[in-house]
Amino acid sequence: MVIKNVSLETVCGITSTLPQNTRIEVAFAGKSNVGKSSLINALMNRKALARTSGQPGKTQTINYYNINNEMYFVDLPGYGYAKVPEKTKEQWGKMIERYLQRSKMLRGIFLLVDIRHAPSANDKMMYDWIRCHNENPVIIATKLDKIKRSQIQKQVKGIREGLAVQPGTEIIPFSAETKQGRDEIYALLDQYLALEAQTTELL
């Protein structure tokens, strides 16, 4: 995939109506400070279109990025940040659930976890939540550049076991610094587009 044109097209808050898009959507979920904005920026070849922050919990909206007028990257609110009030956490949870239930164009979900650590209770809850909505997320193990190469397989195994992922679930180690893993994600995006084109032809 070659990304040439990107724009932040729609921002949805807690009370916003979700857009009825006609292009496919790929959603990005992950706890606060896992590197979600950095991943999205790396995929879009932009330094700061998706806002990164030293303050976890800053993404409080659902952000739709138009990619090549072919698909949308949907940036979901980060979860699990302790300093956010419980009421706010609950509202974010409702936003994410509403999106998973109502989006008619969702074709894939990337769930981000930090490769340096075992999955948290929040990570496990989000994985199970996504599975309950009949989706099987691709796991992106972020911050790959923070560990030694010899540790990768051990950490990936720990994520697979910690989340109790479904057999065949893809786990892609990724570094926003070196861009390792980006080509594998691009390949998946191409697959989503190709499958949608085939489905459209059959209708």
Side-chain angles (χ1 to χ4, degrees), residues 33 52-56 58 81:
N33 209 28
T52 59
S53 174
Q55 296 177 308
K58 196 169 182 63
Y81 185 50

Side-chain angles (χ1 to χ4, degrees), residues 8 11 35-38 40-41 44 47-55 58-59 61 63 65 75:
L8 176 57
V11 177
K36 187 154 50 66
S37 295
S38 296
I40 293 172
N41 282 326
M44 297 190 300
K47 289 186 177 180
L49 185 56
R51 294 180 181 177
T52 59
S53 174
Q55 296 177 308
K58 196 169 182 63
T59 302
T61 53
N63 300 329
Y65 297 91
D75 185 7

